[in-house]
Amino acid sequence: MKGDQELQVIAVQHGKESDPTVEEERNQTGESHSNRYKRWLLVSVYTFFVISGQSVATILGRLYYDNGGNSKWLATVVQLVGFPVLLPYYLFSIKTHTTTHRDDGKAASHRNRVLVYLALGVLVGGDCYLYSIGLLYLPVSTFSLICASQLAFNAFFSYFLNSQKLTPIILNSLLLLTISSNLLAFNNEESNFKKVTRAQYVTSFICTIGASAGYGLSLSLQQLAFSKVLKRQTFSEVMDLIIYVSLVASCVSVVGLFASGEWETLSSEMDSYKPGKVSYVMNLVWTAVTWQVFNIGSTWLIFEISSLFSNAIGVLGLPVVPVLAVIFFHDKMNGLKVISMILAIWGFMSYVYQHYLDDKNLKKSLGIPTTGSSDSPEAKGSSGQKIQTPAS
């Protein structure tokens, strides 16, 4: 009996003693939950940057035209020249972004880098010019809904350039977004601030479709450049690409401003601007700043999650603009626009759902436990063998 009592005392003492392994696992679990909450908080913050920056910049662009602005090249310049705002963010964030999404160890030659920056810069500059023409004659609500087609173009070009699979869900998304944009071609509404001819409406419509296609193409080409030319996807590499491409695109837009002769009318445009010269300058400054707020949010989402997610968030924010247009510009939200918006949101949700499935399958194949999963770090791959995660 005494021996049994001693064994019971020892057992109780062992029970009271903390197991170092268990304590370590609890600490790691607590840290992982804390990191997860911080990550999703940051995702929420930068998502807000993308949606608010894009929405406010588009509204300011509309205000520029409404109050007497007429320079398409100046409207293009302000979309691009604010990129120096990214430099403090770059210097501040480079120390915190130590992870590398992919690094093949082979740095691209300077010649190849320059060619990539020049090609993408010219494409982005032309793309922003098409957006400026589109916003000139289209009601802002119509303009933003057509821009939702950029997601469909991104998926289309990714199929050819990045070997993305066109699953039934993706095809459904493409069809819905295409119908959503094409419906607005039959919209007969006129802009509230000036008479717009049918030819001008069609011109802006075509330019906006072309700009959406150009934006989708630029994202696919960026992904191609990272995989085939730059062969690295570090934070500094992503920021270098964005800054140098913005520099080239800014130069293209400034050359266009002077070559077109529009610079000669800027002084009279400022004098005749309805709210006054100060408002004219402030509109241009804040348009440039808000586009860079959008770029900061987009850059973080591209690096920390994916370019597809960043693009999807941008499209998610587009329905916000028609609502603001109804409030500030009294745009008419007719039945055709409502149907177009519903189809665009439906197409967006289909697109996001497909990438959610892809991400889930990828994590499963790599043995990474998904949220709510009780699997251990060891998981079975697609062929049935066990896969060790880096944590193990």
Side-chain angles (χ1 to χ4, degrees):
M1 289 292 296
K2 187 176 180 181
D4 291 340
Q5 290 174 353
E6 288 177 352
L7 288 174
Q8 289 175 3
V9 171
I10 293 172
V12 170
Q13 289 175 347
H14 276 293
K16 290 182 179 179
E17 291 175 0
S18 59
D19 188 342
T21 305
V22 173
E23 286 295 325
E24 185 177 350
E25 288 179 355
R26 287 176 180 172
N27 291 335
Q28 289 178 352
T29 302
E31 289 177 4
S32 65
H33 281 300
S34 176
N35 291 335
R36 189 181 304 158
Y37 293 141
K38 288 179 182 177
R39 177 179 172 80
W40 281 109
L41 177 61
L42 287 173
V43 168
S44 301
V45 169
Y46 286 103
T47 295
F48 174 76
F49 281 4
V50 169
I51 294 175
S52 61
Q54 177 179 250
S55 302
V56 173
T58 304
I59 293 297
L60 289 174
R62 172 82 277 157
L63 281 173
Y64 167 75
Y65 287 133
D66 276 9
N67 291 315
N70 200 44
S71 174
K72 298 180 288 294
W73 278 110
L74 181 61
T76 303
V77 169
V78 296
Q79 294 179 51
L80 299 163
V81 295
F83 72 90
V85 174
L86 294 175
L87 294 176
Y89 170 74
Y90 183 8
L91 298 175
F92 175 76
S93 301
I94 194 168
K95 294 180 180 180
T96 61
H97 289 83
T98 56
T99 57
T100 301
H101 285 191
R102 191 175 59 81
D103 189 345
D104 293 346
K106 299 177 182 178
S109 65
H110 291 296
R111 175 179 170 275
N112 289 342
R113 286 176 180 275
V114 170
L115 290 175
V116 168
Y117 298 153
L118 286 175
L120 288 174
V122 171
L123 175 61
V124 170
D127 190 53
C128 290
Y129 180 66
L130 291 178
Y131 274 126
S132 298
I133 298 176
L135 192 57
L136 177 60
Y137 297 120
L138 288 178
V140 67
S141 54
T142 304
F143 170 81
S144 61
L145 288 172
I146 296 173
C147 288
S149 63
Q150 68 192 37
L151 198 59
F153 283 114
N154 186 207
F156 174 78
F157 288 119
S158 293
Y159 173 75
F160 293 101
L161 298 176
N162 311 122
S163 302
Q164 177 177 303
K165 294 180 180 179
L166 291 181
T167 64
I169 298 177
I170 289 290
L171 289 173
N172 176 65
S173 173
L174 295 180
L175 179 63
L176 291 170
L177 290 169
T178 302
I179 295 174
S180 171
S181 299
N182 289 337
L183 273 178
L184 297 172
F186 302 100
N187 197 22
N188 334 335
E189 76 174 313
E190 297 176 353
S191 179
N192 290 327
F193 76 100
K194 60 182 176 182
K195 183 75 174 177
V196 175
T197 66
R198 186 64 181 172
Q200 289 172 329
Y201 184 93
V202 171
T203 299
S204 286
F205 181 88
I206 293 173
C207 287
T208 307
I209 288 288
S212 299
Y215 185 75
L217 176 61
S218 68
L219 287 179
S220 297
L221 288 176
Q222 285 180 28
Q223 188 174 344
L224 183 67
F226 279 121
S227 61
K228 300 296 183 182
V229 181
L230 303 176
K231 297 183 178 180
R232 303 174 67 190
Q233 194 169 343
T234 60
F235 177 75
S236 59
E237 197 74 65
V238 172
M239 288 300 300
D240 285 345
L241 180 73
I242 291 172
I243 289 173
Y244 286 118
V245 166
S246 297
L247 175 61
V248 173
S250 299
C251 293
V252 169
S253 62
V254 170
V255 169
L257 178 64
F258 284 93
S260 65
E262 289 185 1
W263 67 276
E264 297 175 352
T265 64
L266 295 183
S267 178
S268 60
E269 183 178 282
M270 182 187 293
D271 293 334
S272 60
Y273 196 69
K274 293 177 184 177
K277 294 182 180 180
V278 175
S279 296
Y280 181 83
V281 174
M282 293 303 293
N283 179 285
L284 297 178
V285 169
W286 284 108
T287 301
V289 170
T290 49
W291 274 123
Q292 297 315 308
V293 170
F294 167 82
N295 278 340
I296 289 174
S298 179
T299 300
W300 191 91
L301 293 177
I302 287 172
F303 183 74
E304 293 294 340
I305 302 178
S306 71
S307 61
L308 292 169
F309 182 83
S310 178
N311 189 19
I313 290 297
V315 172
L316 175 63
L318 290 174
V320 175
V321 181
V323 175
L324 295 176
V326 171
I327 297 172
F328 293 104
F329 302 110
H330 308 293
D331 279 5
K332 296 177 181 178
M333 186 57 70
N334 54 32
L336 202 61
K337 284 186 180 180
V338 172
I339 294 172
S340 176
M341 182 184 291
I342 292 172
L343 290 175
I345 295 174
W346 187 2
F348 162 78
M349 295 304 295
S350 298
Y351 192 81
V352 170
Y353 181 65
Q354 178 60 59
H355 287 288
Y356 164 75
L357 293 178
D358 292 342
D359 184 61
K360 188 176 181 180
N361 291 334
L362 178 62
K363 286 181 177 180
K364 196 175 292 184
S365 66
L366 294 175
I368 301 174
T370 55
T371 305
S373 172
S374 60
D375 295 341
S376 63
E378 287 186 351
K380 291 186 178 180
S382 57
S383 59
Q385 75 274 19
K386 288 185 177 180
I387 300 174
Q388 296 285 341
T389 64
S392 59

